[in-house]
Amino acid sequence: MSDNDQPTVDGRMATADEGQTIEPVSVAEILRPVRVPLAIACLLRAVSAVAMIFPFLAVARIGEDLLADGPVDNDAVWGSVRFGIIALVVAMVTLLGAAAITHIADVDFQLDIRRRMAERLGRVPLGWFDARNSGQVKKSLQDDVGAMHHLVGHALIDTVAAAITPLATVIVLLAIDWRLALFTFVPVILGLYLYSTMMRGYGEKMQEYQDSLGRVNGAVVEFLAGIAVVKTFGEADEAHQRYTEETEGFADTFHDWVSGTLKLSNLTEFILSPVTSVMWVLTGSVVFVANGWIEPTEALPFLLLGAGITAPIQALGFSAQELQVGLAAAGRVGELLATPTLEVADSPRSPDGSDVRFDGVSFGYETGGRDALTDIDLELQPGTVTALVGASGSGKTTIARLVPRFWDPRAGSVSIGGVDVRDIDPVELYQRVGFVFQDVQLIRASVADNVRLGRPDASLDEVVAASRLARIHDRITELPDGYDTVVGDGAHLSGGEAQRVSIARLVLADTPILVLDEATAYADPESEAEIQEALSILAAGRTLLVIAHRLGTIVNADQICVVADGRIVDRGTHDTLIRESEQYQRLWAAHDSGVAGTVS
Amino acid sequence: MRLLRLLLEVLSVQYGRKLKTFIRIEVTTAALAGLAFVLVVPTLDAMLQRDTGRAVTWLVVTGAVVAVYAVVGYQGKALGYEVGSTVSRALHRRIGHHVVRLPLGWFDGTRQGPMGQLASKGVVDVMGVPAHLARALIVAVVTPLTVVVGMFFFDWRLALSALVMLPLLVVMAQVTGALVKRADRRLHAARGEANARIIEFSTHQPVLRAFGRSIEGDERLDAALVEQRDATRKLLFTAVPGITGFIAAVQIAFGIVLVIGTNLALGGDVSVAEFVALLVLTVRFIEPLVVAADLMGALRLAESSLGRLSELLAEPTLPEPEKPTLPTSSEVEFDGVRFGYEADRPVLDDIDFVARPGTVTALVGASGSGKTTVTRLIARFWDVDGGTVRVGGADVRDVTTEHLMSQLSLVFQDVYLFEGSIVDNIRLGRMDATDDEVIEAGRAARVDEIVERLPDGWHTQVGEGGTNLSGGERQRVSIARAILKDAPIVLLDEATAALDPANEVLVTQALRALAADKTVIVIAHRLQTVRHADQILVLGDGRITERGTHDELIDRPGGTYAAFWSRREAAQGWRLAASPS
């Protein structure tokens, strides 16, 4: 709600910027772990496609034997029946085998890729999460990975089938009678030609359609988020105007698209349909037989095989859309996997002491964009309080976030105990720097485990002691299962209570350096006093950097920095600043009139 | 069938008729295709016996059938797409129409994601039902059926042997369906858990990372992902035997026809030409069935989307009065009001108070004491369980939503702005306001101070949800909106989060402009607001424990208000220091 908004807006621009410079991980690279099972599956599918031709040939052969002049060779006929059935079994087993392999591989692949993504996210700069909401992360890990199912499970083997089946059929038919074979292929070639004409411009149309759908989604979100406004200000019965426009627009887009291609797509479908193929081949056969060009039984393979030649191609057409969706999702997954991570030093060093130093630090959210911070020099001594004051967007939150390395500076350095934060092992860095920003972060686990996140090996006594100090022990004992109550399931904690649990966690973690957004104290005005007590205890004896909102809170600070336009313009104690700093005086003047203000 | 029933249910009558016509056309098309296949038998029979004359005659008949098939098929397809876009239109209209009638309490902040999905992807799933799914399914059922009926005309034994596997197919599909449903439920639960853990993982990243958890992998997330994998695998292994069985049974049917047919042909019981022709026909009988197996997944998807849509449309709306009354003033009155979000846990119990026009009523109390609920009941987010909420003497349930809302201005803490310019957002307060009136309201709410700093002035875009503005700035825009609306009753939830001092002053000025001469009910967080209120209501455990003005309450010994005041004053004077004081 307060000036934390600023980095979010800037951070979003930073993302767009990142997108241009990073080379995403390629789809082939993403699929690498499953390339062996996919190759085996493709092979099986190819075998199946070829095997599927033989039952038809067997039937043709049976017809030929039965219709041959003279006595029927029973053994030969039964042999063909056996052969046909065996081929059928082989075709079925390999077909199902291929599908089973890709599906089983896909299940493990999805787990693997999700783990890889989570592992990557565990190493990106914390600031990355500022610019995205958790819903987007969920979408990447769940929906995008899920959408790749078609790619892994179906697309490849379908493509193999679509290529091998017509190819094998063409070869067989050409070998039997090349003239009738060519005649049989006429509708297929015509159909394919029409199909490719139809697909021209498909990409743009598809994009238009997807965009329109995306706008519907956006309109719904806006409609729901602003429903109170819609209800209080809009016509009570009418849906939100933008919602109506976008949904009607979507129906129009869809209608225009399909009706624009209706004649062509219908013609294509008709030409490629089994009904047409059968009719066409039958006509050709009658003509060829009547002219004595072929024996009647020679027409049988054409009738059996020729009519089925288009089926896999059509199946591929049907799945083209899902394939596109899958590829797009894979592209997004690839981008996420290529997100730059926080660089970790090869030989990390341990800080000596817990003083913090900013040395000529400049920082910008966009590469090459304007500076959000310029030339910041700042020293925080152990056991002292340093306060950052200034208007919204002045950069005080950004300064504070550079200490726990949410981002790395563009120029200059931030160091702890004489060591650049970039040279400190991240685990050690976080063990030294604790931070409380505005969001309270409790995970769905027992209250004790939530406190223990600060130090996983802490005993229950230590957890209780920390909770007492954080003024939350009494409330915890009132919960149905005390410290074992699962947050969210068994208990609902108010904002202020959750805040104090997170403070208990920090007490237990006992980090020598603490970065604090004072606004946390006001997240729940009803328990403000308790939170303040807890914060006072937490702050004792540490190197403290605080983003101040209420000037009264920090009059006793050892050092106050007035931040404006990304620079520290004045610094000193309250007493010197109130005399000498014009900016500081102005902040106080505004502060006083704000406190005196009232609604009535 | 369940699918079609659901679809007809969510479409209203006018759209439903189109759907029925479409289905009739598609059934006809599929039957014509079957007929064309059946006609292959006499044609082929003639050709195999070298009777060209008879073959040509049959070819002409078949050609005629194919021609009719093409024409009817074209109409079906055109209508299918039309039904598709009609479905999209009808569903979106019904969703929009229904959602605005739901009680405001339904929108608890968790609805955006799922609803966005439902209205976009969900509707698309359903749109595909007529044009793709229904079509393919009808072909899969009607064409083989026609073929089999045709086969009976030629040889009943072969027709029967083609049919022998049919009961098995039906049973197989049923059993698999039931098993898959159960496994699907487990997967659904596992997916929900994984979603929650991923969201936790990303929002709690700083905390998790502080102790190296993310670098080694968060074990809670990992367990959820593994369970999701296991559940997917379980679903797969449940579905595979069914699908395998289905496809195998179809092929076995072909094998049976082949064996029995060969036997009959060798024994001379059936003409060889006819037998061969029937084998060709059997292939045509089988193909659509295999396609049907592939459609099951898409079918399930559409069914679950449709199910969720019909659930949404069944969500009870706020009842509108049959004989609406009009409020006669801007007085707000609670008369023995009882209310709870869950049946046995009352949040408010026996609340009585009157807020008179031109006065400020401040609500004070611990979090969870029901302050927000009081304001929500006035705006009829929910209906009371007992007692009455009156506005201008009229029970809010007897006033139309439109009229009730016209009496109220709501200023929330978490302000949502629509994508558009600042002027657009203020104008929402009264759509017919002139530009001058909009800017006047903006000035009164001190939006002019924001506008001065922005490149495009009053026409600056606020971004989705207003993210281009800070919290304090957003709040001022929303106050301007309320000032422009000029409703006689103002419901105000004061900001808890500290604004920077400059914003704080300006928001205060804005609120003063809004509240003048109105009935104001405010959830007060700032002490100055409370001190100057005409009436303070202290809430505790769902009841009003104390009431009066600041001067009356402050000296009451042992009173909750006095305690509240001194604690809050102490908090104001808090000083942060590194050495314990």
Side-chain angles (χ1 to χ4, degrees):
Chain A
M1 282 294 283
S2 73
D3 60 352
N4 271 11
D5 296 327
Q6 206 55 39
T8 313
V9 174
D10 283 346
R12 222 168 257 164
M13 295 172 197
T15 353
D17 189 76
E18 279 162 18
Q20 292 164 359
T21 48
I22 313 160
E23 187 67 28
V25 176
S26 69
V27 175
E29 185 58 36
I30 294 172
L31 294 180
R32 182 183 288 275
V34 282
R35 68 189 195 284
V36 174
L38 284 185
I40 295 173
C42 285
L43 193 68
L44 284 177
R45 189 64 186 87
V47 170
S48 172
V50 174
M52 202 56 224
I53 289 174
F54 291 97
F56 295 125
L57 290 180
V59 169
R61 186 57 173 277
I62 292 164
E64 218 170 295
D65 286 345
L66 287 173
L67 290 167
D69 298 329
V72 176
D73 181 351
N74 280 16
D75 289 345
V77 170
W78 282 117
S80 298
V81 170
R82 259 197 307 281
F83 176 74
I85 287 174
I86 288 169
L88 195 62
V89 170
V90 170
M92 281 304 116
V93 168
T94 46
L95 172 72
L96 291 167
I101 286 174
T102 57
H103 278 78
I104 289 168
D106 180 52
V107 173
D108 287 324
F109 168 72
Q110 291 201 9
L111 176 63
D112 179 63
I113 196 92
R114 287 191 175 107
R115 279 181 167 159
R116 269 159 73 190
M117 291 166 86
E119 192 271 340
R120 186 85 188 180
L121 293 183
R123 291 190 291 126
V124 304
L126 280 178
W128 187 88
F129 292 94
D130 270 0
R132 286 159 191 80
N133 64 40
S134 50
Q136 288 168 288
V137 177
K138 188 227 102 186
K139 182 178 176 296
S140 300
L141 254 76
Q142 291 287 76
D143 306 351
D144 283 347
V145 174
M148 286 175 66
H149 165 77
H150 193 80
L151 204 59
V152 179
H154 303 268
L156 270 174
I157 52 175
D158 282 358
T159 311
V160 168
I164 301 286
T165 305
L167 198 69
T169 310
V170 166
I171 292 169
V172 168
L173 294 185
L174 280 174
I176 295 169
D177 187 279
W178 65 270
R179 292 160 304 181
L180 188 54
L182 288 183
F183 183 82
T184 304
F185 301 147
V186 169
V188 180
I189 291 162
L190 186 63
L192 283 178
Y193 170 73
L194 288 175
Y195 188 74
S196 69
T197 320
M198 196 173 79
M199 293 306 280
R200 217 173 287 150
Y202 175 85
E204 291 137 51
K205 287 285 181 193
M206 189 67 200
Q207 193 56 45
E208 212 175 288
Y209 171 84
Q210 290 289 354
D211 289 349
S212 178
L213 196 58
R215 285 198 301 274
V216 168
N217 201 333
V220 171
V221 170
E222 187 173 286
F223 179 33
L224 292 188
I227 190 81
V229 180
V230 171
K231 274 206 156 189
T232 36
F233 297 117
E235 308 285 307
D237 278 356
E238 284 311 307
H240 176 48
Q241 192 188 343
R242 183 171 156 221
Y243 171 81
T244 311
E245 277 166 18
E246 296 298 357
T247 53
E248 293 289 324
F250 172 71
D252 290 341
T253 304
F254 173 77
H255 192 260
D256 289 351
W257 183 16
V258 293
S259 54
T261 58
L262 179 64
K263 285 212 170 71
L264 194 57
S265 72
N266 196 63
L267 185 63
T268 312
E269 202 174 297
F270 173 70
I271 287 175
L272 289 173
S273 77
V275 175
T276 312
S277 310
V278 167
M279 174 76 203
W280 179 261
V281 176
L282 199 56
T283 308
S285 305
V286 169
V287 172
F288 274 58
V289 170
N291 286 308
W293 296 333
I294 56 168
E295 284 301 299
T297 50
E298 277 178 334
L300 289 176
F302 290 89
L303 273 170
L304 288 159
L305 284 171
I309 195 168
T310 59
I313 300 172
Q314 272 199 308
L316 203 62
F318 284 138
S319 68
Q321 191 181 330
E322 274 180 87
L323 182 62
Q324 298 237 331
V325 172
L327 279 173
R332 287 192 295 272
V333 169
E335 264 171 43
L336 191 141
L337 286 175
T339 311
T341 55
L342 217 53
E343 276 169 48
V344 180
D346 292 334
S347 45
R349 294 166 53 201
S350 265
D352 177 22
S354 51
D355 57 306
V356 178
R357 230 182 119 89
F358 282 68
D359 227 341
V361 169
S362 295
F363 172 74
Y365 285 100
E366 300 157 72
T367 326
R370 87 188 159 85
D371 277 355
L373 295 179
T374 314
D375 208 19
I376 301 286
D377 287 306
L378 182 62
E379 239 186 293
L380 317 179
Q381 289 300 331
T384 66
V385 174
T386 302
L388 302 171
V389 298
S392 292
S394 58
K396 49 187 197 295
T397 304
T398 311
I399 295 177
R401 291 197 168 201
L402 291 183
V403 181
R405 240 189 131 187
F406 270 53
W407 305 104
D408 282 335
R410 189 182 278 173
S413 72
V414 178
S415 55
I416 293 174
V419 179
D420 192 318
V421 289
R422 283 168 290 201
D423 293 332
I424 303 172
D425 183 319
V427 176
E428 184 165 4
L429 176 68
Y430 296 124
Q431 281 170 356
R432 287 185 180 258
V433 183
F435 41 93
V436 195
F437 293 121
Q438 281 191 351
D439 326 324
V440 184
Q441 305 180 322
L442 295 190
I443 61 171
R444 194 155 45 84
S446 72
V447 177
D449 280 349
N450 262 290
V451 176
R452 225 178 246 134
L453 268 183
R455 214 176 73 219
D457 58 352
S459 70
L460 185 60
D461 287 344
E462 289 171 306
V463 169
V464 172
S467 306
R468 273 187 209 282
L469 285 174
R471 301 290 183 268
I472 188 65
H473 172 73
D474 292 344
R475 176 71 182 104
I476 295 173
T477 51
E478 282 168 17
L479 295 173
D481 297 316
Y483 277 89
D484 293 328
T485 312
V486 174
V487 175
D489 291 356
H492 178 72
L493 295 175
S494 77
E497 288 160 357
Q499 191 70 258
R500 279 174 282 156
V501 170
S502 76
I503 292 172
R505 179 191 290 161
L506 282 162
V507 169
L508 193 63
D510 200 23
T511 55
I513 301 163
L514 200 58
V515 181
L516 201 64
D517 188 336
E518 190 215 0
T520 48
Y522 315 121
D524 186 0
E526 279 68 35
S527 51
E528 194 175 321
E530 284 90 345
I531 294 170
Q532 288 172 344
E533 271 177 51
L535 283 178
S536 294
I537 286 165
L538 177 64
R542 297 178 209 276
T543 309
L544 194 67
L545 180 64
V546 54
I547 303 162
H549 295 272
R550 255 184 219 166
L551 296 176
T553 306
I554 47 91
V555 289
N556 291 344
D558 301 280
Q559 175 180 223
I560 297 170
C561 299
V562 183
V563 185
D565 289 332
R567 291 170 190 272
I568 297 179
V569 290
D570 285 308
R571 69 180 84 199
T573 60
H574 172 74
D575 292 338
T576 49
L577 286 175
I578 200 77
R579 271 185 280 117
E580 292 163 14
S581 166
E582 219 176 286
Q583 299 253 15
Y584 192 64
Q585 288 161 3
R586 218 176 298 147
L587 287 169
W588 267 99
H591 180 255
D592 286 341
S593 64
V595 168
T598 159
V599 167
S600 51
Chain B
M1 278 306 105
R2 200 178 97 82
L3 188 74
L4 284 179
R5 214 189 51 236
L6 272 173
L7 189 58
L8 283 170
E9 200 178 285
V10 296
L11 294 174
S12 42
V13 183
Q14 65 192 100
Y15 302 122
R17 198 170 304 137
K18 231 180 218 174
L19 182 65
K20 283 181 183 158
T21 313
F22 167 75
I23 290 169
R24 267 196 295 275
I25 291 182
E26 282 306 314
V27 169
T28 312
T29 314
L32 284 169
L35 184 59
F37 291 141
V38 170
L39 290 174
V40 170
V41 179
T43 318
L44 193 58
D45 186 53
M47 187 194 79
L48 288 172
Q49 291 171 23
R50 299 175 193 271
D51 187 345
T52 308
R54 191 153 59 90
V56 170
T57 313
W58 281 114
L59 258 186
V60 171
V61 175
T62 314
V65 172
V66 172
V68 178
Y69 160 83
V71 173
V72 179
Y74 177 77
Q75 275 169 354
K77 190 157 170 160
L79 191 59
Y81 284 138
E82 181 144 352
V83 171
S85 63
T86 307
V87 165
S88 155
R89 241 180 266 275
L91 286 179
H92 279 133
R93 278 183 196 159
R94 281 202 67 184
I95 292 170
H97 190 68
H98 191 80
V99 163
V100 286
R101 281 177 174 71
L102 291 172
L104 276 173
W106 184 80
F107 304 88
D108 56 5
T110 63
R111 306 283 184 181
Q112 278 103 309
M115 272 291 299
Q117 278 286 97
L118 193 57
S120 52
K121 200 180 156 300
V123 169
V124 170
D125 286 343
V126 177
M127 276 167 73
V129 169
H132 295 295
L133 269 183
R135 205 154 180 250
L137 274 179
I138 289 169
V139 170
V141 174
V142 175
T143 305
L145 219 61
T146 316
V147 167
V148 153
V149 170
M151 281 173 90
F152 272 103
F153 283 99
F154 301 108
D155 191 286
W156 64 271
R157 290 160 303 192
L158 285 178
L160 214 55
S161 49
L163 272 180
V164 109
M165 298 304 286
L166 208 57
L168 190 66
L169 284 180
V170 173
V171 171
M172 199 94 75
Q174 294 285 345
V175 171
T176 308
L179 286 175
V180 164
K181 204 169 234 173
R182 202 176 331 143
D184 205 29
R185 222 169 287 149
R186 176 178 164 193
L187 179 59
H188 190 77
R191 203 177 282 145
E193 169 73 9
N195 286 350
R197 287 299 180 194
I198 288 169
I199 287 178
E200 191 176 281
F201 172 77
S202 96
T203 49
H204 295 52
Q205 202 47 221
V207 171
L208 293 169
R209 213 180 271 199
F211 296 90
R213 273 162 205 263
S214 282
I215 293 158
E216 291 156 20
D218 171 10
E219 71 268 28
R220 289 183 185 85
L221 171 63
D222 204 58
L225 290 179
V226 169
E227 165 60 17
Q228 183 176 338
R229 192 267 314 264
D230 293 346
T232 314
R233 191 182 271 173
K234 171 82 187 158
L235 177 66
L236 195 57
F237 286 134
T238 312
V240 161
I243 294 168
T244 311
F246 190 88
I247 294 176
V250 169
Q251 300 300 342
I252 290 170
F254 179 75
I256 290 174
V257 175
L258 185 59
V259 172
I260 292 179
T262 306
N263 213 4
L264 291 172
L266 288 175
D269 291 330
V270 63
S271 103
V272 171
E274 208 166 77
F275 163 56
V276 173
L278 281 173
L279 274 179
V280 174
L281 196 54
T282 310
V283 175
R284 300 273 82 86
F285 166 73
I286 284 166
E287 250 167 19
L289 286 176
V290 176
V291 173
D294 270 355
L295 287 174
M296 294 303 173
L299 199 63
R300 226 158 20 103
L301 214 63
E303 211 173 80
S304 82
S305 289
L306 207 48
R308 273 178 292 140
L309 278 169
S310 73
E311 252 170 52
L312 172 72
L313 294 176
E315 199 74 43
T317 55
L318 212 57
E320 287 287 322
E322 285 182 18
K323 288 191 191 122
T325 53
L326 289 179
T328 53
S329 72
S330 60
E331 186 176 274
V332 174
E333 185 190 354
F334 272 55
D335 186 0
V337 167
R338 198 158 38 74
F339 175 76
Y341 294 99
E342 291 154 50
D344 50 346
R345 286 230 327 255
V347 176
L348 296 179
D349 199 2
D350 203 19
I351 299 285
D352 287 299
F353 74 87
V354 177
R356 302 203 188 285
T359 67
V360 173
T361 300
L363 301 172
V364 168
S367 59
S369 63
K371 301 185 301 273
T372 309
T373 310
V374 168
T375 56
R376 290 190 167 189
L377 291 181
I378 300 169
R380 218 183 154 203
F381 273 48
W382 306 100
D383 278 338
V384 295
D385 296 332
T388 318
V389 176
R390 294 195 192 91
V391 168
D395 188 328
V396 289
R397 285 167 295 194
D398 294 333
V399 182
T400 61
T401 308
E402 199 172 350
H403 195 81
L404 178 65
M405 288 305 177
S406 74
Q407 301 295 303
L408 305 175
S409 278
L410 284 73
V411 179
F412 300 113
Q413 272 203 58
D414 197 2
V415 178
Y416 190 87
L417 301 185
F418 291 104
E419 211 165 331
S421 70
I422 291 182
V423 170
D424 294 342
N425 267 287
I426 298 178
R427 199 190 298 275
L428 271 177
R430 211 175 74 231
M431 292 311 281
D432 58 358
T434 64
D435 281 2
D436 286 347
E437 288 171 317
V438 170
I439 289 174
E440 189 50 43
R443 286 221 180 87
R446 298 313 315 273
V447 177
D448 53 345
E449 189 273 338
I450 308 168
V451 166
E452 275 166 25
R453 286 182 280 117
L454 296 172
D456 297 330
W458 292 96
H459 297 285
T460 305
Q461 296 292 313
V462 299
E464 190 193 339
T467 44
N468 292 347
L469 303 182
S470 78
E473 292 169 345
R474 284 205 292 274
Q475 202 167 35
R476 270 139 71 192
V477 172
S478 90
I479 294 168
R481 198 188 264 165
I483 289 175
L484 185 65
K485 183 176 177 182
D486 198 28
I489 300 167
V490 175
L491 304 178
L492 174 64
D493 191 352
E494 248 185 339
T496 53
L499 300 170
D500 64 90
N503 254 313
E504 181 109 25
V505 179
L506 295 166
V507 167
T508 307
Q509 290 175 359
L511 285 175
R512 207 177 291 159
L514 170 65
D517 304 322
K518 306 273 165 48
T519 309
V520 179
I521 295 174
V522 54
I523 299 169
H525 298 300
R526 297 168 60 249
L527 296 182
Q528 295 303 321
T529 308
V530 180
R531 182 197 278 276
H532 291 94
D534 300 289
Q535 172 178 231
I536 298 166
L537 303 175
V538 182
L539 287 161
D541 288 332
R543 291 167 183 277
I544 296 176
T545 56
E546 284 177 57
R547 69 177 82 204
T549 62
H550 175 75
D551 293 338
E552 289 163 16
L553 295 176
I554 193 69
D555 293 327
R556 193 171 291 180
T560 33
Y561 180 78
F564 160 83
W565 185 265
S566 63
R567 282 170 66 80
R568 290 298 303 276
E569 243 183 357
Q572 292 269 312
W574 179 57
R575 303 272 184 273
L576 192 58
S579 46
S581 45

